[in-house]
Amino acid sequence: MAGLRIVLAFFLALLAAPANSAPLSAFGRLPTIEDASISPSGHAVALVVTDGEKRTLVVRDLATGSVTLRGLLGTKKIRNVQWAGDRHMVLVASTTTRDFLIQNGFREWYFANIIDIEKKKISSVMATSKADLDAIYGMPTVRVYQGKPAVFVKGFVFVGNTARLTLFRVDLDSVVNRVVESGSEDTIGWTLDASGAPVAEEFYARGSKTWSMRVREGEGAGWREAASALAPLDRPYMIGLGRDNASILYAQKGQNDRWEWRETRTDGRPPAEPVAAMDLQGSLRAALDGRLVGQYTLAGDDDSYTFFDPSDQAAWRSIVDAFPGDRVQLQSWSTNRRLVVVLVDSRTRGPAFVLVNLLTRKAEYLGAQFGDLEPEDISPQQPVRFKAADGLELSGYLTTPRGQQPKDLPLIVFPHGGPAVRDMPGFDWWAQAMASRGYAVLQVNFRGSSGLGVKFLEAGYGQWGRKMQTDLSDGVRYLAGRGLIDPKRVCIVGASYGGYAALAGATLDTGVYRCAVSVAGLSDLRRFVAGARVDSDEFALRYWNRFMGADDLKDPSLVEISPVTHVDRVTIPVLMIHGKDDTVVPLEQSRIMATALERAGKPFELIVQSGADHWLSRGDTRLQTLTATMTFVEKHNPPN
């Protein structure tokens, strides 16, 4: 399968870039193409394209090249678009509104619609359901039911004052919605077999802190408990179908406190246990029937796709080999896995969607993800590795301004959110935008980041505002020691946990930065954890206390590592940006910090964004955030 020939076609029009660098809008707008997927038969490709703010669903017939659907989606926050057979698609969007399950709370609610491509009609999935809310829980599942594709969704049915999860099946032609399975008060999900029948149900009893899973052994058979565990934290979770229709996979911590994939079966055969050990692993599944056909792991800086079928593995290898030096990620494939959509992240051209035809051994560019950027707008990125002050090996990525010698550069430290996630190699619109303005950008996978081993994750427990913070400034000292950056010209910019790290850089780890920008950052950890307990349950409280190193809400360490407690130490200007619709970190966290800074007479700015959520889902708020950040940084830490 080697030697794929690339055919350039179907590029969206590119705007001419200025002589020096592209405008910030080229980086900060929504991606030109947000998503691309191939139909099950491979007859058509669907794209979600934007004009900077509004989204449009475009379906193109591959045989004729004609556009069979062009549907304006407007400013909806699109969370997922998937094929349901060849004639229909399922679109999931979200909105921020009052949470009917929690008093005085707000939630990001998800809603699903069926799009009939031939009739050019869109219908609500829950329009005919017996659910008490139009919202769905989790993402829809597509299966072949009685010979036809159908959509399965989870919704809420109230029994008294308790919302119980219920599984519904939706007919694609009539959009009639029927109850398949009614959950108990503790039900949190189901696994469906290839025909859509629920073969496993997952529970979590909050009172006893017990997780369990039961399976059904054959149509019409009863349920039996297959696994259970006391799980006040590190709750096991159901993954889905295994390699055949009688295998169900779940994840649970095993030896050496490491997560493992385990199997239970519905046909009486002994399970393979554990199936696999994992640090950061995902499922690769067959279209329509949901069987596991492979696994994905991010190993170090490389994406690793492992397929069980040797022909699938050889085909994937041929795709990767066609783009040497680029990061290649699987996006979608046809039922026979001969037509594959991949996202190719080129080090010199940025990311683009590509359709690979393994039968003809040709590939077609569908379009650049950021169509306003030219190759000369992409700044180089390199991996960095260094030791923290206590000797722990750390890694990350350094993006440097294109065309500039990496010597005595001004630096922006750009910590990721989470904190239990990680920065990846490749194009990052925010980091690239900052580099385009003449700054080196350092992204450190500090201790507590995931995907780098259990021990590395656990090294972050109790280290909020402590070693997780000094890992960042140790990175500054490493770069300064090599002469790459000017240690007197360093700012810190971050969002979510990264926003907390920015505020902590101004209050807890002082003397390193000239300015700090916090987007949706935490400032008062005790208040945040107390709110998480009220809005969620004790599970959230235990999770945050593990990372923050506190035993309970009265633990003084929550005060000690809260930036709001130490505003007297602030000697640098601080910018805070926060959305009114943030349901993860409440706007209150930035307002509390602003009040404290004002009372202390410290320099600060606060920008409150109307309609903005935690993820910068809208194009206008994303660009506003980027523009305000760079205006602030360039004022207080000029690049020249």
Side-chain angles (χ1 to χ4, degrees), residues 48-78:
V48 178
V49 301
T50 77
D51 62 1
E53 179 59 31
K54 294 181 180 179
R55 296 169 166 94
T56 301
L57 177 64
V58 178
V59 178
R60 181 169 68 98
D61 185 275
L62 293 175
T64 65
S66 62
V67 173
T68 57
L69 178 69
R70 187 184 299 274
L72 179 65
L73 304 176
T75 58
K76 287 186 176 70
K77 295 188 286 187
I78 306 303

Side-chain angles (χ1 to χ4, degrees), residues 397-480:
Y397 306 95
L398 179 68
T399 304
T400 54
R402 183 180 178 89
Q404 291 192 34
Q405 282 290 107
K407 182 179 180 182
D408 293 329
L409 293 170
L411 176 69
I412 296 176
V413 175
F414 187 42
H416 62 68
V421 296
R422 60 159 296 180
D423 277 314
M424 308 286 200
F427 184 92
D428 181 299
W429 66 268
W430 203 333
Q432 284 287 330
M434 293 188 288
S436 76
R437 268 50 202 165
Y439 296 90
V441 181
L442 175 63
Q443 297 169 273
V444 177
N445 284 319
F446 45 81
R447 70 192 70 202
S449 301
S450 62
L452 296 166
V454 173
K455 290 184 178 179
F456 191 82
L457 173 69
E458 293 176 345
Y461 292 172
Q463 294 302 320
W464 273 58
R466 301 180 180 95
K467 290 183 179 180
M468 286 169 65
Q469 190 68 32
T470 56
D471 284 350
L472 303 175
S473 50
D474 285 341
V476 174
R477 286 181 278 273
Y478 166 76
L479 297 179

